[in-house]
Amino acid sequence: MYARIALGNVRRSVRDYAVYFVTLLFGVTVFYAFNSIKSQSVLLDVTNNAMGRMLDITTSFIGGFSVVVAAVLAFLVVYANRFIIKRRKREFGTYLVLGMNSSKVVCILFYEMLLVGAVSLVLGIALGAVLSQALAFATAALIGSTISHYQFVFSTQAMFMTLGCFAAMFVITLVMNVVYVSRRKLGDLLTCRDDVKLGCKIPFGVRLVVFIAAIALIGFAYYGLWLNKFKMLDGFFALITGILVVGTFLLFWSASTMVMFLARRSKRFYLKGLRPFTLRQVSSRLTTTFSSMAMVSLLLFFALTTTSVGFGVMKIFVGDVGETSKYDLSLSYRIGYDSSSHKRMVEGRERYVNECNSDMETFLRTSDYGEMWNQLIDRCAQIDVYTVTGLTWEAVCGDNGLADVYRTWKPGNTNVAVRVMGVSQFNKTATLTGETPVVVPEGQFVINNDAAVAEGIAQAMREKGGEVQIAGHTLTASPEQVGREIRNGSIRSEVLALIVPDEVIDVLRDQDVYVQSVFNVMYSMDRAEGDALLQKDESSLGFSGYFSYADACTGLEMFSQAGGLKLLCTYLALYVGFILLVCTAAVLAIQQLSDVSDSLGSYRKVSVLGAEDGMVLKSLRAQVLVSFLAPLPVAICYSAYAVFVLHINLFAPLGVNPLGGIFVAAAMLLVIYGCYLLVTFMVSRALVKDSIV
């Protein structure tokens, strides 16, 4: 019997459950889709261990963040349930008057929630299954893999995880309903307050002063962010963040007065139709809900910024991997000269320097693993990078009248050493990838700079013909522009290295200077086979332990790691942005529906006084639209400024365009916010129409 009553209630109250249903549907769809990524990975042609590891890391991050997502969705479900309970408390009171006890009322509520929840779960998982298929192809594209044999994959693990999380949410909601119904007196349930909630009467002058103060605080926070440039997440950054939050709350607190003040300035505008009623309703809502409006605005700001910036950050780390990982294998190493070096290091240094004449190719081919290296190496090149003792870029720029240029690059940093390399080794490395050799005239040097952030100094030195004193040689800057990576990496990291004549290197080699070497290899086989040969034995590199620093980085590994990082950044940005947008839109929708429900008496009075139904509904549309969109301009302004500051100080110097992330954030905002706005207006319209009939 109670199940039949619940079914009838759901049919009659479908509009009351609209926001609840949409929130559950969005939540279940996205929750299932992202947690099914691990199951979808079986479709991918994973060609190496690095790619598999990055997929595992990504799914682990997604799974961990899903705990936070579940908590957020639980809050939304409980919050939406409060609106339903509030809307129907007179109905519950009627049940009690007819002889039902509170446990039976709760039982009916449970059946209703179970029915709505079951429908939303089934539809959500179905939509999530479809979305997960698209994510499988997106995953393949992001990590540079393929799907040779596609088949539909349904993740039972993700399904059970989704069912478990949302079952826990229903239990929490049921407990809260039991507490609510059992603690309410019959008179409270049967009494409905239809009056508009009014805030305390605050003089206009006070609110005007607060409004001006809010603008000043927000402006100061903007200025502070411009000074900070997101470079230091220190106490000052925390201070300006706090000031921005306070300014936002004060802005919405004082906004209602400013709305009425500006509207009343034009009698022709204010005294037309139901505009006095509409503006008073909007002003009242802003007054009583300013805290939630401010919080929604800040959450929207965070959601839009996270999504927009996330894609830009991803491009910084992986956008140029094709240019920064051209070699099949890069070995980076340096020789330990301290007397306390391990015996193995001493032996390695002796063999490398004396027996092999500091040549890594000879060192490897004559090692215990020489057979493997002879099989692996097709072409190779070594490049030794010397750090000139006591010579820094601050001093070089100062001697050449470019101190201001240096300060724009490294303000306060006086320890950026000058690094040099020989032209012969540099050109031999260039031939591995088919690049044009560099010509360094006698008495000159060429700046090799591949980092956009330092290009200002490089360009200034080229244009001025700047001079540098190295190993007794006075060298002037060549106008030739060169920017090449000398080792594998994920980002462009070759910054202001000087390519000098070989006779300068001959002098440095005899001096006690810091040297770090790079040995690049092109395989005699494809990259996957070469990496597999190296991985047969972790120590098969043949130089582990012989040097104070040693690192091996394969090109295929860099591509796999870049793909995994791209996958992680992209999915986290989408996941975080989507959930935050759903959270803010749902909270705002429920807040507006609650306000409309509380104001039904006002709409009835306006209708009784002679206002046509069309005018009342037009007034309602304006109220919902203004109240729903009020936090949006503030959030967009905050986000636009934050992205602008990041673009000027981070993205632009690194050659990254954040427009892709901005378009994605705008599309998500349009879809999610638009859906909730439409649902809010349709439900509000139905409530008001029933009230004035």
Side-chain angles (χ1 to χ4, degrees), residues 143 157 194 299 344 576 599:
I143 67 174
Q157 180 183 2
D194 289 336
L299 286 175
R344 184 175 174 87
V576 172
S599 304

Side-chain angles (χ1 to χ4, degrees), residues 638-656:
Y638 287 179
S639 183
Y641 185 75
V643 173
F644 171 74
V645 173
L646 281 170
H647 177 69
I648 293 296
N649 297 285
L650 179 63
F651 295 147
L654 295 176
V656 172

Side-chain angles (χ1 to χ4, degrees), residues 366-381:
T366 58
S367 69
D368 295 338
Y369 300 91
E371 182 179 351
M372 184 272 294
W373 284 107
N374 289 330
Q375 180 183 355
L376 185 69
I377 297 175
D378 178 37
R379 292 172 295 132
C380 59

Side-chain angles (χ1 to χ4, degrees), residues 385-441:
V385 183
Y386 297 81
T387 301
V388 183
T389 305
L391 185 61
T392 65
W393 272 105
E394 183 187 42
V396 170
C397 290
D399 293 342
N400 287 279
L402 301 174
D404 292 340
V405 179
Y406 178 83
R407 280 193 291 270
T408 62
W409 175 48
K410 290 286 186 181
N413 190 337
T414 61
N415 298 316
V416 181
V418 175
R419 301 157 50 249
V420 300
M421 60 188 75
V423 62
S424 296
Q425 288 188 331
F426 185 84
N427 285 336
K428 187 177 180 182
T429 301
T431 60
L432 295 180
T433 55
E435 293 177 292
T436 305
V438 173
V439 177
V440 181

Side-chain angles (χ1 to χ4, degrees), residues 307-308 311-312 315 657-666:
T307 306
S308 302
F311 285 85
K315 290 181 181 178
N657 189 342
L659 281 179
I662 294 173
F663 286 140
V664 171

Side-chain angles (χ1 to χ4, degrees), residues 38 150 181 208 211 215 268 487 506 509 511 574 629:
K38 187 172 184 179
Y150 171 75
V181 175
L208 179 61
F211 181 80
I215 298 298
R268 178 178 298 180
R487 61 173 66 81
D506 293 337
R509 189 177 291 117
Q511 297 178 356
L574 290 174
L629 298 181

